[in-house]
Amino acid sequence: MSILSSLLGNAGAIKNEELQEKYGKLLIPSESIEAGFKIIRDTFIFTNKRLILVDVQGLTGNKVEYFSVLYKSITRFSVETAGSFDLDAELKIWISGEQNLSISKKFNKKVDIYEVQKLLAQFTM
């Protein structure tokens, strides 16, 4: 099931130590990683100051975009599930100045989507 979930674009949690080792160079001295999730080749990182989206592009994955969103720029967010038996949940984020949905990521049942939304609420409110 995990291979199928990975192919479908679902996410799984990543240990903070692993994230720190791989993406620590992106952080400023007063910044720390709170949580992170892997979505196929991309990574979704919550720090104490911002949300970092690591978008691996192209067939070879040589090109990588690091997209940072300050929590104060997030105007609203939502969590969508189909019920208790649904394998997937989707997190949607809107950024100020943009009319349409800015970020949409699917998470599998390995991730407690309510903890993800609690983390976002903690930093945006």
Side-chain angles (χ1 to χ4, degrees), residues 2 13 18 27 36 39 42 56 61 72 75 77 86 91 100 117:
S2 64
E18 186 179 330
L27 307 178
I39 306 167
D42 300 339
V56 178
K72 67 181 181 180
T75 56
F77 58 90
D86 188 26
L91 174 66
N100 297 324
Q117 97 57 55

Side-chain angles (χ1 to χ4, degrees), residues 71-103:
Y71 291 120
K72 67 181 181 180
S73 298
I74 297 173
T75 56
R76 64 184 186 207
F77 58 90
S78 71
V79 171
E80 181 179 311
T81 65
S84 57
F85 296 107
D86 188 26
L87 296 179
D88 298 332
E90 189 172 3
L91 174 66
K92 298 177 182 181
I93 299 173
W94 288 263
I95 298 173
S96 63
E98 296 184 18
Q99 293 295 323
N100 297 324
L101 176 65
S102 304
I103 300 166

Side-chain angles (χ1 to χ4, degrees), residues 55-75:
D55 181 15
V56 178
Q57 301 172 357
L59 294 175
T60 61
N62 289 334
K63 185 175 179 182
V64 180
E65 177 183 19
Y66 300 96
F67 184 72
S68 293
V69 179
L70 297 176
Y71 291 120
K72 67 181 181 180
S73 298
I74 297 173
T75 56

Side-chain angles (χ1 to χ4, degrees), residues 10-23 33-46 52-54 56 107-108 110-112 116 119:
N10 294 330
I14 306 173
K15 293 180 182 178
N16 287 2
E17 299 79 28
E18 186 179 330
L19 291 167
Q20 182 66 41
E21 182 179 320
K22 191 165 185 178
Y23 301 108
I33 294 174
E34 300 292 325
F37 306 94
K38 185 81 168 172
I39 306 167
I40 303 181
R41 298 186 306 170
D42 300 339
T43 306
F44 201 73
I45 303 168
F46 290 91
I52 302 172
L53 301 174
V54 181
V56 178
F107 294 83
N108 66 18
K110 292 180 184 177
V111 176
D112 183 350
V116 173
L119 192 58

